[in-house]
Amino acid sequence: MRIKEICKYARVPSILLLGVVYLIYVLIGGIVFWKLEGDLGKKDIGLLLSAKKKLLSRYTCLNQEGLEAVAVVVQDASKVGLSLKGNKTSDGFWKFTSSAVFAATVVTTIGYGNISPRTTTGQIFCVFFAVFGIPLNMVVLNRVGKYMLVIERKISEFLEKKTKRKRCTRFLVHLVSYLSGAVLFFVVPMIVFQLHEGWTFSQAIYYCFITLSTIGFGDFVADSNPDKVYPEWYSVLMATWIFFGLAWLALAINHSIDILERLNTHSRLWWNGGQKQEEEPGSVEGDTPETQETQVEEEDVEVKKPPIT
């Protein structure tokens, strides 16, 4: 008996199948990262232990206790943005521009982790600032994303009237929109970060995606190297890039979610042999792909209207 017939006979819920696919996807990712990074991590540990032995043998006056004290100083200096190269002074992380960028990373939930409040009042303020700032950020990004969508669809409607080809025009407009956003929010910043931070192109593009997706590992952070002198406009440009890049990437992710939902609908029809699937909890009677398409079109008409100011 084929898998399709087995699933149809067992009446496997779609949410269960989706959960299984999600679990398998995560486990595959874990295996790949384990194989790619596991051996390298062991090599790094071996190199560090070897470097430690060489350091203790070279500087005989430095024992294990002294090495730990030096490590604490280096760690504390990295937390406040102090350079240990030479005797030059540094303003540290908590300049006005860096503080403003930190506030932006809080409300956008990026949270690099390279800088964080250390005072009790600063930590309490950060909690309340995030509680009200995160919803505000979501509302503003949603509104900016709708404006982007309105502009995109206005262009699409204009070209549809000229070409009389609806599907082809929409596809080309979406493609040009995605490519333009990729160039503006990934390629151009990648070049800027490569010039000002000294990263490779792969590290720069990696940092761009980790930032705009709000993952924020913190292994690469722009405008945070205490050994570099950044221009004043650099922080402003970075904050602007983060804001509009988040709005664009959120819009692209929403389009991807819509595509996955449509694929899920077609897959359910395929599992049922093209017949209408029985109603699931929370579903509406007569919710076929045709009615879903009509609902999407009605939502599109509503989105075309500019937001009320």
Side-chain angles (χ1 to χ4, degrees):
M1 187 179 294
R2 294 178 300 176
I3 298 177
K4 177 181 175 181
E5 296 176 355
I6 295 175
C7 293
K8 182 179 178 181
Y9 178 77
R11 297 181 182 274
V12 179
S14 60
I15 183 64
L16 181 59
L17 291 175
L18 191 61
V20 171
V21 172
Y22 176 79
L23 180 61
I24 293 175
Y25 185 80
V26 172
L27 292 178
I28 291 175
I31 293 173
V32 173
F33 284 124
W34 176 40
K35 292 298 183 181
L36 292 177
E37 303 293 336
D39 295 336
L40 182 61
K42 293 179 181 179
K43 292 180 181 179
D44 290 340
I45 293 175
L47 292 175
L48 287 174
L49 292 176
S50 177
K52 175 185 174 182
K53 291 181 181 179
K54 291 181 180 179
L55 185 65
L56 292 176
S57 61
R58 182 176 181 179
Y59 301 98
T60 56
C61 60
L62 186 65
N63 54 14
Q64 179 66 30
E65 184 178 356
L67 183 62
E68 293 176 359
V70 172
V72 171
V73 173
V74 173
Q75 186 177 9
D76 292 339
S78 63
K79 288 182 179 180
V80 299
L82 177 65
S83 175
L84 296 178
K85 295 182 179 180
N87 296 321
K88 64 178 182 180
T89 59
S90 175
D91 295 333
F93 283 139
W94 294 108
K95 299 177 292 185
F96 172 73
T97 53
S98 301
S99 301
V101 173
F102 169 76
T105 60
V106 171
V107 297
T108 55
T109 68
I110 295 175
Y112 290 121
N114 66 315
I115 175 176
S116 59
R118 304 181 65 182
T119 63
T120 303
T121 53
Q123 293 171 350
I124 295 175
F125 173 75
C126 183
V127 171
F128 287 99
F129 181 74
V131 165
F132 295 99
I134 292 175
L136 177 63
N137 176 76
M138 294 177 65
V139 171
V140 174
L141 288 181
N142 183 44
R143 184 61 59 87
V144 173
K146 285 185 177 181
Y147 270 113
M148 291 181 178
L149 191 59
V150 167
I151 295 173
E152 180 180 328
R153 287 181 177 170
K154 289 292 183 182
I155 296 174
S156 179
E157 288 177 356
F158 175 77
L159 294 177
E160 285 173 13
K161 294 179 181 178
K162 298 292 185 181
T163 60
K164 305 298 182 181
R165 295 181 178 180
K166 185 176 180 180
R167 291 183 178 273
C168 183
T169 303
R170 284 193 176 186
F171 174 76
L172 290 177
V173 170
H174 282 305
L175 181 62
V176 172
S177 175
Y178 288 146
L179 292 178
S180 300
V183 171
L184 184 61
F185 297 113
F186 282 91
V187 177
V188 174
M190 176 185 67
I191 298 174
V192 174
F193 292 139
Q194 195 273 335
L195 293 175
H196 286 82
E197 302 291 342
W199 299 335
T200 62
F201 286 116
S202 60
Q203 291 172 340
I205 198 69
Y206 164 80
Y207 166 76
C208 290
F209 181 79
I210 293 300
T211 297
L212 296 185
S213 61
T214 70
I215 297 175
F217 288 129
D219 48 352
F220 292 95
V221 181
D223 194 22
S224 64
N225 191 344
D227 297 321
K228 292 182 178 293
V229 179
Y230 298 97
E232 293 295 331
W233 54 265
Y234 191 67
S235 297
V236 178
L237 181 65
M238 181 179 169
T240 305
W241 164 72
I242 289 176
F243 178 78
F244 288 100
L246 283 173
W248 175 82
L249 189 60
L251 188 63
I253 291 175
N254 286 334
H255 279 294
S256 302
I257 293 174
D258 181 61
I259 293 173
L260 291 176
E261 291 290 346
R262 291 174 184 269
L263 290 176
N264 183 36
T265 301
H266 289 295
S267 64
R268 284 188 295 176
L269 289 175
W270 183 81
W271 284 114
N272 289 286
Q275 298 178 358
K276 179 181 176 181
Q277 188 180 12
E278 294 185 0
E279 295 181 10
E280 295 184 359
S283 63
V284 181
E285 185 178 358
D287 190 12
T288 61
E290 289 78 9
T291 57
Q292 290 180 358
E293 185 72 23
T294 305
Q295 292 174 1
V296 171
E297 292 295 334
E298 291 176 355
E299 291 177 0
D300 291 346
V301 173
E302 294 179 359
V303 173
K304 289 176 185 177
K305 301 177 181 179
I308 300 174
T309 57

